[in-house]
């Protein structure tokens, strides 16, 4: 199955991507991982991407697309893949379509994780991280530390990352609305979009996603 996963920051997209890829036995292809892999292996594309990132610029679409193409041509992606973080705008979506057409393959579904904007802000802006160990993560509402500002695990100081401030979250949401959301309409015109709510326990969201993908498959037959 070939799937594109979309959703705003804070929708739990990364978590669901890993779980769905495992359930569907397809590789999880995320742009973050692609960048890291190409940069650490010092591929030409990796060097190019790094030069943009080092200068504080966005990596151009062509570079991202070329990396995605490389990855989708690996043998393990023959039976399908789950794309996460790509495409992130309409021009990337069009490039992906051209790429798939050239390989004579098509997408099966675009899974859209929906979460209300205020919930996104609450989820992200409430995160608190331990200064000693960034894997010690708390949330002021959903998993508060026993003593405010102090890590339950090691007693370290809890803080809010700059990236998690309400202002930054709202900016990222704005970028999502203007850049990424239009791809949902783009794929709706191809009849590929399955929208599910990304609220509730992680397991339930995965179940919902698998059901929605099954429905898509049946309709395509
Ligand atoms: Zn800690």
């Amino acid at each position: 199955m070939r799937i594109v996963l979309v959703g705003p920051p804070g929708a739990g997209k990364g978590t669901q991507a890993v779980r769905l890829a495992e359930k569907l036995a397809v590789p999880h292809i995320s742009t973050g991982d692609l960048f890291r892999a190409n940069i650490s292996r010092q591929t030409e594309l990796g060097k190019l991407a790094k030069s943009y990132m080092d200068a504080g610029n966005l990596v151009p679409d062509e570079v991202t697309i070329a990396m995605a193409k490389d990855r989708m041509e690996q043998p393990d992606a023959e039976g399908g893949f789950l794309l996460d973080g790509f495409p992130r705008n309409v021009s990337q979506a069009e490039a992906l379509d051209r790429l798939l057409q050239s390989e004579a393959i098509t997408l099966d579904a675009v899974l859209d994780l929906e979460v209300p904007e205020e919930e996104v802000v609450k989820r992200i802006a409430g995160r608190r991280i331990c200064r000693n160990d960034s894997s010690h993560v708390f949330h002021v509402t959903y998993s508060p530390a026993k003593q405010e500002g102090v890590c339950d695990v090691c007693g370290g100081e809890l803080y809010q990352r700059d990236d998690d401030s309400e202002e930054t979250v709202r900016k990222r949401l704005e970028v999502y609305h203007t850049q990424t959301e239009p791809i949902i309409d783009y794929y709706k015109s191809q009849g590929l979009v399955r929208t599910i709510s990304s609220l509730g326990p992680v397991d339930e969201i995965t179940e919902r996603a698998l059901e929605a993908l099954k429905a898509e498959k049946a309709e395509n037959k």
Side-chain angles (χ1 to χ4, degrees):
M1 235 190 154
R2 299 183 192 92
I3 303 161
V4 168
L5 193 58
V6 289
K13 198 156 59 74
T15 306
Q16 291 302 327
V18 171
R19 296 168 67 100
L20 290 170
E22 197 186 302
K23 294 262 186 197
L24 299 165
V26 294
H28 165 214
I29 302 180
S30 89
T31 36
D33 290 344
L34 282 181
F35 286 165
R36 276 188 290 277
N38 277 277
I39 289 169
S40 78
R41 279 173 20 231
Q42 301 200 328
T43 65
E44 286 309 312
L45 290 168
K47 285 184 208 163
L48 200 55
K50 191 168 185 299
S51 69
Y52 285 98
M53 289 157 93
D54 285 349
N57 294 319
L58 282 176
V59 177
D61 284 350
E62 308 85 77
V63 178
T64 308
I65 291 157
M67 282 184 193
K69 178 174 190 290
D70 264 7
R71 183 61 189 87
M72 287 189 286
E73 284 169 357
Q74 300 297 310
D76 68 334
E78 224 164 78
F81 47 73
L82 190 150
L83 296 178
D84 165 18
F86 172 84
R88 63 168 60 235
N89 57 45
V90 171
S91 116
Q92 288 190 356
E94 288 168 349
L96 176 63
D97 270 351
R98 285 193 294 273
L99 183 62
L100 296 174
Q101 267 163 26
S102 73
E103 317 260 335
I105 53 179
T106 52
L107 289 174
D108 294 300
V110 173
L111 189 66
D112 170 27
L113 300 183
E114 210 168 51
V115 51
E117 180 146 342
E118 287 318 306
E119 175 64 20
V120 167
V121 173
K122 204 172 157 190
R123 282 184 187 183
I124 299 179
R127 265 186 217 150
R128 296 294 180 270
I129 317 281
C130 175
R131 285 212 190 269
N132 293 338
D133 185 333
S134 60
S135 74
H136 302 164
V137 181
F138 299 84
H139 190 283
V140 291
T141 311
Y142 303 123
S143 55
K146 288 198 190 81
Q147 193 190 334
E148 201 188 318
V150 180
C151 176
D152 286 358
V153 185
C154 71
E157 186 200 346
L158 299 181
Y159 75 108
Q160 182 187 45
R161 288 188 307 203
D162 289 346
D163 275 0
D164 293 347
S165 75
E166 181 171 340
E167 196 194 348
T168 309
V169 176
R170 293 208 185 271
K171 266 186 211 153
R172 286 167 60 198
L173 279 169
E174 186 56 36
V175 171
Y176 179 77
H177 289 317
T178 54
Q179 303 284 314
T180 307
E181 251 175 16
I183 73 172
I184 295 170
D185 285 330
Y186 176 83
Y187 285 126
K188 267 185 186 160
S189 69
Q190 300 182 12
L192 290 174
V193 177
R194 288 294 171 267
T195 302
I196 64 157
S197 163
S198 195
L199 293 177
V202 171
D203 283 341
E204 280 178 25
I205 301 167
T206 308
E207 279 311 308
R208 238 175 262 155
L210 290 170
E211 280 304 309
L213 292 172
K214 249 187 245 164
E216 172 65 17
K217 235 179 175 174
E219 273 173 35
N220 276 356
K221 263 174 197 162

